[in-house]
Amino acid sequence: MENKPSNWILVILCVIGILTIGGWVWNIGETVVAKFDSNLDFELRQEEFIEQSKSAYSYGRFWGKETAQQYELDSIENHNFNDNLSHSEVISLAKQLYEERAVDFFCWGADDCAELPTYEELRRKYKVDFGSPNMPTNAFESGYVDAFLEYIW
């Protein structure tokens, strides 16, 4: 057998394939072991919960910033921009605008638009089988208020 470049390429591809499949098996193995180990199962579920809450919080920050920008431009009906609000007044204003769905539609390009998600949509999108069922809505609202407060105050 000669040492042709094609033989070495086959060896390298086989090694990469074995490592890839081994990684998949390892991930599946961890999930299977977690079914019998309550501590590991708890850790995996907790990690998923944290990732989902981070994602919902980030999405809320996006909407909070967009609402703050619209508020600053005086384009929200029945709400005029006021830069003399206190910290607590800005927070209550952000919560009020969120509950009223004052900015419930936003486009950042010709075909790229989004609607402010409802509570049910948030629960479906960021569903976890661990912890509070209200986590997605609470994390989203927290991100929304934080971003609004950072932008305005």
Side-chain angles (χ1 to χ4, degrees):
M1 183 173 179
E2 297 179 26
N3 284 335
K4 293 181 183 178
S6 61
N7 290 340
W8 285 108
I9 291 173
L10 286 175
V11 169
I12 291 171
L13 288 176
C14 286
V15 169
I16 290 172
I18 290 170
L19 292 175
T20 302
I21 292 171
W24 293 340
V25 169
W26 182 261
N27 287 339
I28 292 169
E30 186 177 63
T31 305
V32 170
V33 169
K35 296 298 178 192
F36 301 103
D37 182 0
S38 62
N39 289 335
L40 183 58
D41 185 46
F42 175 78
E43 289 175 13
L44 291 176
R45 292 171 69 172
Q46 191 174 27
E47 286 174 14
E48 178 189 1
F49 182 83
I50 290 169
E51 289 302 315
Q52 292 287 32
S53 62
K54 284 180 186 177
S55 184
Y57 179 83
S58 296
Y59 196 48
R61 287 189 60 83
F62 167 79
W63 277 101
K65 182 180 176 189
E66 294 307 323
T67 302
Q69 289 173 345
Q70 296 300 317
Y71 173 71
E72 186 180 45
L73 296 173
D74 281 334
S75 63
I76 298 177
E77 194 173 314
N78 300 325
H79 295 282
N80 296 323
F81 179 69
N82 181 359
D83 60 352
N84 294 325
L85 296 175
S86 70
H87 185 268
S88 60
E89 290 173 328
V90 172
I91 291 173
S92 62
L93 175 64
K95 289 182 179 183
Q96 178 185 1
L97 292 174
Y98 176 65
E99 289 171 6
E100 291 177 1
R101 299 181 62 87
V103 177
D104 65 347
F105 188 78
F106 176 73
C107 290
W108 56 91
D111 294 329
D112 297 325
C113 296
E115 291 184 28
L116 182 67
T118 63
Y119 289 131
E120 294 79 27
E121 290 171 342
L122 287 170
R123 286 189 185 112
R124 245 183 326 212
K125 184 174 182 179
Y126 302 107
K127 184 177 182 182
V128 291
D129 59 351
F130 175 80
S132 171
N134 294 328
M135 177 280 297
T137 56
N138 293 342
F140 182 88
E141 186 175 350
S142 179
Y144 185 95
V145 171
D146 287 351
F148 188 90
L149 180 65
E150 286 176 13
Y151 192 88
I152 296 297
W153 203 62

